[in-house]
Every structure is written in C-alpha cells, then in structure tokens.
C-alpha cells in the first residue's frame, strides 16, 4: 500500500511515517515545513526511514501529487488551539477547506481510504461526564470547530467509492524528534527536568484525556488496514478510559517520575476546555487496536530522553518546538505571509 502521509515534518507525522514503513507500507510525505528548524534528537528509526516528502502547502495539492497513491493519512493542519486562534480565517482555510479539498481530490482520483486525525477537543467544555462518539460536540476554538466541520463534510462523502475514517485523538504525549512543548505532558516533563518545578497557572482541575504518540500511530495504521465495513464513515475516540486525568493528576504522575520536582497549583482558570472521554468503541470495533502506553510510561521515556541528550532550558524554549512561537517568528521575519504561504 502506498500511503500519502500529510504533515510528515510534524510531531506525529515524523513518528507515523517510519511506523507505517516498518509495517510494509510505502510512504510519501507532504509538508510545508513550518517547523523544519526543530529536531530534538536522532535515532536509527527516523534516520533510516525518512520518507520522500513533497514540500508543498496543503492548499496547493493537485491531482498530480496523488498519482499512484492508494490511501491517505491526513495530519497537516494548524494543529492546536492557540495556533488556530492566532488567525481563525487562515485556520478555516487550511484546516477546514484544505482538508475537505484534499478529500475531494482523493475521491476523484479513486483513492478510497482517507484517515483523518481529528481531536477530542471537539467535545470542548464538558460537564465532567464521560463523552462518547455519539455525544454532542461543543467546540470552543476555531481549531476544534474546523475538526467538527471536516468530520461533517468529509463524512458526507462516505460511500461505496470512498472510505473516510475519523480519529478523535486525545492530547498526545511522548518523545518525537519533531518535539512539541505546547502539549501538556511534554511541557510539564520539560519543566520537571529543567527547573524542577511545575507551577500550574490554574487549579489543575480540568479533565484532559491523553494518548501516547505511538498509540495514535497504531490507530492510524489500523484505520488504514481495517476492512472497509468496520470503519467507513466511522468516528473513533483514540485513547483509553483510564487515561482521562485532571491536569493536577498529570502533574503528580510526572513529579513522581522526576524526583525532586515540586508541584504548585494556582487559582481556578478562565480556560473552560475540560472533557472526559469514553474510549470503548475503538477498543471493541477497530480490529487489532489497543493502547500500549500510559502517561507514566511517557513521562519515564521523556525523562530518559532528557537525560540522554542533556536537555536544557534553552532547548526547551527554542521557538521551533512551540508551534505558535515558530509561526509568529516566521511571520515577523517575513518568511511567511499573512496567509502562511512562504514568501
Ligand atoms: N498532537 C496532539 O496532541 C494532537 C491531538 C489531537 C489531534 N491531533 C491532530 O493530529 C495531526 C498532527 O498533529 P501534530 O501534533 O503532528 O501537529 P504538528 O503541528 O506537529 O505537525 C503538523 C505538520 O503539518 C504541517 N502543516 C501545517 N499546515 C500545513 C499546510 N497548510 N500545508 C502543508 N503542511 C502543513 C506543519 O508544517 C507540520 O509539520 C493534526 O491534524 C492535529 O490536529 C494532534
């Protein structure tokens, strides 16, 4: 199977490409390279199996780029809440329009399988009750709203000739050469290592389901190879019921993995994003899938990595590991324009 993976220079994409190649798939990458400057570490997996990558903006993909492709795993978007809020209009252009257009091109080209990386942030401000795939969505940001719209519009295209699958991922964590420190576990582990203190700006009460980046890749792999009938038009939450944590619980798990780290909480926050998610469906209906890692495993892996590479505060704060910082830098230095095209 020849798979186009969009977003191969991203946090998840750079783990996913070798993950699929190890499982016998041929991978072609596509990425515009916003975070090209950021590479935290090397190991033999990434170096040996870096895919051939088309350096192109998602909005400029043509039918020609899809020639010979059998399936698509679509990850390339402005991919978190703060980034999406930076300029909601551009976020809609890339994340909503760009993704729907890619799906339309795929269907026209006869590419049936289209795996889309949605997010549990579609649930937005929950009540604390467990939400499943049938629960109403309640997006709080442009990023989350776009995820809902792509699911809706691409979902409508499902049929005999097109098999889209939607994965609503929990917040990811774990080592990746294209590291991100704007996601909760990675960020708190970096603080635990660099300053030995996790000072939460909120009371840490919001619920956040989390999933290891490798488990996210496993879901995408299973979504690509599952029989059509099991996945066509289906939405799956990706994670595990026991990995719904309050942010302060996550901080405690990390502090236990980084001896000497102190944790403090702040006042209740205005950020109302809080959701607790049920992950039964993916474990019962996606053939072969199960989550392998826990938050504790992820914190442990990050601890070992930081030790191995002698991770420093300077590297932690480097712009290319925090998405919004990097895009603001590229705009300020006029390397990309207001619509995020390279100048
Ligand atoms: N990381 C998470 O916690 C998480 C959780 C839920 C869902 N997701 C989804 O998974 C996908 C991958 O996430 P990630 O963490 O790897 O994100 P990332 O920001 O690390 O990587 C995204 C990649 O897409 C590229 N990209 C962005 N806009 C593009 C465009 N217009 N054209 C071409 N390339 C473009 C970027 O250069 C980047 O390399 C995203 O769709 C994201 O919304 C991620």
């Amino acid at each position: 199977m020849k798979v186009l993976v969009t977003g191969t220079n991203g946090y998840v994409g750079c783990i996913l490409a070798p993950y699929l190649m190890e499982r016998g798939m041929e991978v072609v990458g596509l990425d515009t390279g916003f975070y090209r400057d950021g590479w935290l570490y090397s190991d033999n997996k990434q170096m040996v199996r870096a895919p051939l990558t088309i350096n192109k903006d998602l909005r400029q993909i043509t039918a020609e780029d899809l020639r010979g492709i059998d399936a698509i795993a679509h990850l390339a978007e402005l991919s978190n809440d703060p980034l999406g809020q930076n300029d909601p209009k551009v976020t809609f252009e890339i994340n909503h329009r760009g993704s729907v257009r890619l799906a339309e091109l795929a269907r026209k080209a006869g590419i049936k399988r289209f795996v889309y990386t949605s997010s549990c942030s579609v649930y937005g401000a929950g009540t604390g009750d467990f939400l499943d795939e049938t629960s109403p969505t309640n997006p709080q940001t442009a990023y989350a709203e776009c995820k809902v719209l792509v699911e809706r519009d691409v979902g409508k295209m499902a049929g005999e000739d097109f098999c889209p699958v939607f994965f609503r991922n929990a917040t990811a964590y774990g080592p990746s050469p294209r590291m991100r420190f704007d996601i909760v576990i990675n960020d708190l582990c970096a603080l635990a290592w660099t300053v030995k203190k996790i000072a939460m700006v909120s009371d840490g009460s919001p619920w956040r389901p989390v999933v290891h980046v490798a488990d996210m890749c496993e879901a995408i792999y299973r979504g690509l190879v599952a029989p059509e009938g099991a996945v066509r038009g289906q939405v799956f939450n990706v994670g595990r019921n026991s990995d719904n944590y309050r942010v302060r619980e996550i901080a405690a798990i990390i502090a236990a993995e980084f001896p000497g780290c102190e944790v403090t909480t702040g006042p209740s926050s205005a950020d109302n994003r809080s959701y607790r998610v049920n992950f039964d469906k993916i474990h019962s209906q996606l053939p072969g899938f199960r989550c392998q890692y826990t938050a504790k495993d992820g914190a442990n892996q990050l601890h070992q990595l930081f030790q191995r590479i002698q991770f420093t505060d300077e590297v932690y704060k480097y712009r290319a590991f925090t998405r919004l910082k990097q895009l603001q830098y590229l705009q300020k230095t006029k390397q990309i324009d207001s619509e995020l095209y390279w100048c």
Side-chain angles (χ1 to χ4, degrees), residues 171-209:
T171 299
Y173 63 85
S176 162
R178 299 283 185 196
M179 199 55 181
R180 303 288 174 253
F181 292 118
D182 48 19
I183 36 186
V184 62
I185 292 190
N186 296 355
D187 186 28
L188 299 189
C189 284
L191 285 170
W193 174 261
T194 55
V195 290
K196 298 195 182 321
K197 184 168 176 174
I198 299 176
M200 279 181 278
V201 287
S202 78
D203 63 358
S205 62
W207 286 102
R208 279 288 185 288

Side-chain angles (χ1 to χ4, degrees), residues 108-172:
K108 270 194 208 136
I111 300 166
K112 268 188 159 179
R113 191 66 56 103
F114 185 87
V115 173
Y116 179 66
T117 45
S118 186
S119 163
C120 285
S121 66
V122 298
Y123 297 117
T127 55
D129 291 338
F130 276 95
L131 300 165
D132 68 19
E133 292 83 349
T134 63
S135 304
T137 54
N138 185 13
Q140 300 291 302
T141 60
Y143 167 75
E145 208 178 315
C146 286
K147 293 292 192 198
V148 173
L149 293 174
V150 175
E151 287 185 11
R152 182 197 70 185
D153 295 347
V154 178
K156 279 186 207 151
M157 293 162 56
E160 279 308 307
D161 62 341
F162 194 57
C163 180
V165 192
F166 307 96
F167 287 120
R168 289 181 183 164
N169 297 282
T171 299

Side-chain angles (χ1 to χ4, degrees), residues 7 9-13 31-35 56-58 75-77 79 94 117-119 143 147 169-172 180 183 216 323:
N9 290 166
Y11 172 68
V12 180
D31 202 297
T32 192
F34 289 143
Y35 314 104
K56 204 168 190 177
D57 195 287
L58 170 68
L75 285 70
E77 286 187 358
S79 54
I94 294 176
T117 45
S118 186
S119 163
Y143 167 75
K147 293 292 192 198
N169 297 282
T171 299
R180 303 288 174 253
I183 36 186
M216 207 173 146
R323 287 168 271 218

Side-chain angles (χ1 to χ4, degrees), residues 40-109:
L40 186 65
Y41 66 93
S42 292
D43 64 27
N44 59 2
K45 261 187 201 164
Q46 270 75 27
M47 300 319 283
V48 173
R49 295 181 189 274
L52 187 72
T53 297
I54 305 168
N55 290 304
K56 204 168 190 177
D57 195 287
L58 170 68
R59 292 165 288 181
Q60 297 174 324
I61 288 184
T62 63
E64 188 59 32
D65 295 317
L66 302 185
R67 188 173 293 199
I69 298 293
D70 301 308
I72 296 179
H74 175 41
L75 285 70
E77 286 187 358
L78 299 179
S79 54
N80 68 9
D81 289 320
L83 196 57
Q85 290 305 86
N86 187 39
D87 184 342
K89 185 172 161 285
V90 178
T91 303
F92 278 94
E93 282 302 314
I94 294 176
N95 293 18
H96 177 217
R97 274 307 311 152
S99 296
V100 173
R101 185 174 160 274
L102 175 64
E104 286 166 350
L105 282 173
R107 188 169 62 166
K108 270 194 208 136

Side-chain angles (χ1 to χ4, degrees), residues 193-236:
W193 174 261
T194 55
V195 290
K196 298 195 182 321
K197 184 168 176 174
I198 299 176
M200 279 181 278
V201 287
S202 78
D203 63 358
S205 62
W207 286 102
R208 279 288 185 288
V210 292
V211 66
H212 195 285
V213 61
D215 286 330
M216 207 173 146
C217 294
E218 171 70 3
I220 294 169
Y221 166 68
R222 296 288 171 186
L224 286 167
V225 298
E228 276 178 36
V231 294
R232 185 186 294 112
Q234 293 292 322
V235 174
F236 296 96

Side-chain angles (χ1 to χ4, degrees), residues 9-23:
N9 290 166
Y11 172 68
V12 180
C14 95
I15 299 287
L16 178 65
Y19 196 90
L20 298 181
M21 287 156 113
E22 271 168 26
R23 285 156 184 77

